[in-house]
Amino acid sequence: MSDQNDKLSPDSNYVDMPAGDPSLPEGWLEVISMDMEAKGVARKPDGKVVFIDGALPTELVTANVHRKKNNWEAASLLEVKRESSQRVQPGCHHFGLHEGACGGCKMQHMHVSAQVAIKQRVLEDNLWHLGKVKPETMMRPIEGPTWGYRFRARLAVRYVIKKGKVLVGFHERKSRYIADMETCKVLPPHVDAMLLPMRELIASMDARETCPQIEVACGDHVTALVLRHLEPLSDADKQRLRDFGKQYDVQWWLQPKGPDTVHLMDAPTAQLSYSLPDFGITMPFKPTDFTQVNPHINRVLVSKALRLLDARKDERVIDWFCGLGNFTLPIATMAREVLGIEGSDALVQRSHENYAANNAQRVEGDKLAPTTFVGRNLFNMTPELLMADGNADKWLVDPPREGAFALSKALADIHQIRIGAKQTGVATEEQPDLLPPLPEGHENWQFPKRIVYVSCNPATLARDAGLLVHQAGYRCVAAGVVNMFPHTAHVESMAVFERAE
């Protein structure tokens, strides 16, 4: 657990699975569970684990093995001998195991309630196998619309000379090629309706061979399309984009080089933004800023996280990895003082602007709590840096996929030094686990009473939960999944930690 970059082999969570049933006919496999990549997991009579694309738990199947390792094999579904009651007809004809199938979704063949149950099992398994943590309570899953939810998407674009047409969409399953998509039901209907017209648009352009990507970003009232182009656009091409924008009511942003070159092609007609109505907050953003893909779930997620955080008017709260202020600004409607810390200087600036704009619109007596935003590399956190941010009654932690290892480790180190579990001193090559003395005045620093941790990767959440529970003096009082990405194997989750007495 000490290595932030530890990775487990694909079979490591399945060591306790029973061996396959030797009474089954040769070649038949009974699917016991599903892994984080939405593959069915079975076991041969000799004990070897088999990961099967397209298979569902409880099914009897045959499979075509295409990769073999010492302890596991990877395979694709050939035939279902006994079908799961949770198998359904996929909602999109581009989904499947067939040649050219879209790789954007992996679970459309499974009933959505079963998808959620599988994701909750993944969360529980990771917490136990990786962190040896069992939450005191499993919270009810947060769910929302299962179609038309994806308000952000990065669509690949390619002019295929041999086919004489342009492709716009996601990549094929396990392929670098772009799927020949005519529709996408997880995109909002108005974006889905633009897929074929976008093909025609790019095909008509002078720069059709040098436009590799269109990024989609939808706000509550504005849809932005970011066109990546590898050569300057002609005036004729810009006019084609303008005509398309008027017809489909979208803003065009251009990206000639890296992300920092993204700019509006013309003066904006309206601002790209989303709202958090439970808190009276409106969040303007740029189309390349990080925002949650599913705004319906995001509203519920923020409200649920803040109910669990339960910030009071006499409390100071720190929001780690605060981004645009998605949690920070709502916390500022509840707490006495808020500190938002983020690794991106551009997002820190945007957070300042969003805070000022929202506060200016609020009446006296309903102003946001004093809030400070700071830029800092949170992957290099130390006990000294952590204490320098001062006492906070509660924390909200919302890291990227890498998790919050350094933050959790710093908290654990402080706890270990305080309880005298590890000798203090200067670490050496011979004694790498020695912890340096804490800075003068550390006795006045207090641990947060509660931590709400929002995660997009159950493996790194489990790793950090193990540190918080076993080395930092916390209890995991609750955890649960958030179905942010229906029909995909992506698992979003939330856990609550309270200081152990």
Side-chain angles (χ1 to χ4, degrees):
M1 188 179 295
S2 63
D3 185 352
Q4 183 179 3
N5 298 311
D6 275 351
K7 290 186 177 180
L8 298 174
S9 62
D11 64 316
S12 53
N13 275 1
Y14 304 97
V15 293
D16 299 327
M17 279 179 55
D21 186 350
S23 67
L24 291 175
E26 185 177 356
W28 287 26
L29 295 167
E30 184 174 15
V31 183
I32 304 300
S33 63
M34 185 173 272
D35 76 352
M36 284 185 64
E37 296 297 319
K39 297 175 183 175
V41 183
R43 202 157 199 165
K44 290 184 171 182
D46 64 4
K48 183 176 284 190
V49 176
V50 186
F51 299 93
I52 311 167
D53 266 332
L56 297 179
T58 75
E59 291 187 332
L60 281 179
V61 304
T62 58
N64 177 37
V65 175
H66 52 76
R67 189 179 180 193
K68 292 186 177 182
K69 294 289 184 179
N70 290 337
N71 298 321
W72 59 272
E73 295 177 354
S76 295
L77 180 68
L78 279 180
E79 184 181 357
V80 178
K81 305 287 188 179
R82 182 183 71 205
E83 188 173 275
S84 167
S85 62
Q86 299 303 315
R87 183 174 285 276
V88 298
Q89 183 67 30
C92 173
H93 67 271
H94 297 303
F95 173 85
L97 300 178
H98 57 276
E99 185 178 352
C102 175
C105 296
K106 294 186 177 180
M107 302 179 81
Q108 284 194 24
H109 58 311
M110 181 180 235
H111 192 281
V112 68
S113 62
Q115 294 178 27
V116 175
I118 289 291
K119 292 177 182 184
Q120 180 156 311
R121 180 63 183 270
V122 166
L123 173 62
E124 293 181 67
D125 284 352
N126 274 266
L127 284 171
W128 180 246
H129 286 291
L130 302 183
K132 295 295 183 251
V133 171
K134 187 172 183 179
E136 296 173 16
T137 300
M138 288 304 299
M139 297 183 289
R140 182 176 179 177
I142 295 177
E143 302 181 66
T146 57
W147 301 103
Y149 67 83
R150 187 162 183 165
F151 275 44
R152 296 194 66 97
R154 187 168 293 167
L155 304 176
V157 178
R158 187 177 181 188
Y159 174 57
V160 184
I161 299 176
K162 290 182 179 180
K163 295 183 178 181
K165 65 178 179 180
V166 170
L167 299 180
V168 178
F170 299 114
H171 286 92
E172 293 177 359
R173 193 181 184 97
K174 297 181 180 178
S175 171
R176 61 185 178 86
Y177 295 112
I178 301 172
D180 192 351
M181 294 168 50
E182 298 174 350
T183 184
C184 178
K185 299 308 178 187
V186 297
L187 293 175
H190 73 285
V191 178
D192 178 30
M194 283 192 279
L195 286 179
L196 291 180
M198 276 194 278
R199 288 187 181 194
E200 297 171 3
L201 168 67
I202 300 297
S204 72
M205 293 174 60
D206 302 326
R208 59 181 171 271
E209 295 185 45
T210 55
C211 293
Q213 177 182 291
I214 296 176
E215 192 163 349
V216 180
C218 302
D220 290 346
H221 308 292
V222 176
T223 296
L225 300 178
V226 183
L227 178 67
R228 176 77 174 98
H229 57 99
L230 305 179
E231 63 180 25
L233 298 179
S234 65
D235 290 341
D237 278 353
K238 289 182 179 179
Q239 189 56 49
R240 292 181 180 104
L241 295 176
R242 290 188 183 98
D243 292 342
F244 184 95
K246 288 179 182 178
Q247 182 177 355
Y248 292 97
D249 193 22
V250 297
Q251 287 181 358
W252 278 107
W253 295 63
L254 302 180
Q255 183 182 346
K257 293 183 180 179
D260 58 337
T261 66
V262 172
H263 63 279
L264 261 169
M265 188 174 72
D266 295 313
T269 53
Q271 190 173 43
L272 193 62
S273 66
Y274 67 89
S275 63
L276 296 169
D278 286 356
F279 306 95
I281 298 293
T282 297
M283 300 289 291
F285 66 98
K286 292 186 177 180
T288 51
D289 287 342
F290 173 79
T291 58
Q292 294 290 5
V293 165
N294 188 331
H296 315 287
I297 290 293
N298 184 56
R299 293 188 188 106
V300 180
L301 172 64
V302 172
S303 296
K304 176 73 171 180
L306 264 63
R307 283 198 300 273
L308 293 169
L309 190 68
D310 192 26
R312 307 294 178 88
K313 288 296 184 182
D314 61 344
E315 292 179 329
R316 183 175 188 259
V317 179
I318 298 180
D319 179 11
W320 302 94
F321 305 92
C322 69
L324 288 168
N326 186 54
F327 290 102
T328 328
L329 270 59
I331 292 171
T333 68
M334 305 169 65
R336 168 179 59 84
E337 180 186 346
V338 188
L339 172 62
I341 303 179
E342 166 58 42
S344 164
D345 290 338
L347 289 181
V348 169
Q349 179 60 33
R350 207 97 75 245
S351 298
H352 277 295
E353 295 167 358
N354 288 348
Y355 173 82
N358 276 275
N359 213 24
Q361 296 174 4
R362 302 178 79 93
V363 299
E364 289 299 328
D366 189 38
K367 294 289 187 180
L368 299 175
T371 302
T372 304
F373 295 96
V374 176
R376 184 175 305 141
N377 184 348
L378 292 174
F379 299 107
N380 291 331
M381 180 57 67
T382 65
E384 293 78 11
L385 289 173
L386 184 56
M387 290 183 170
D389 288 318
N391 291 333
D393 299 279
K394 291 166 183 175
W395 284 4
L396 191 291
V397 184
D398 182 20
R401 289 189 61 79
E402 295 86 346
F405 177 82
L407 183 65
S408 304
K409 182 68 164 57
L411 204 58
D413 287 349
I414 297 170
H415 179 74
Q416 293 297 311
I417 293 173
R418 288 242 178 121
I419 65 174
K422 291 186 178 181
Q423 178 184 357
T424 61
V426 179
T428 67
E429 188 173 345
E430 292 75 26
Q431 294 179 300
D433 291 331
L434 294 183
L435 295 170
L438 295 176
E440 185 177 349
H442 72 86
E443 299 85 358
N444 297 323
W445 186 88
Q446 300 296 320
F447 288 87
K449 296 176 293 186
R450 181 175 300 163
I451 300 171
V452 175
Y453 189 132
V454 179
S455 169
C456 58
N457 184 346
T460 53
L461 168 61
R463 177 202 63 200
D464 297 344
L467 278 171
L468 293 173
V469 170
H470 301 301
Q471 297 187 41
Y474 285 86
R475 299 156 43 222
C476 183
V477 297
V481 296
V482 182
N483 199 21
M484 183 75 73
F485 300 85
H487 311 300
T488 76
H490 184 89
V491 182
E492 194 96 2
S493 54
M494 183 162 46
V496 184
F497 302 89
E498 287 190 355
R499 189 77 180 148
E501 294 298 332

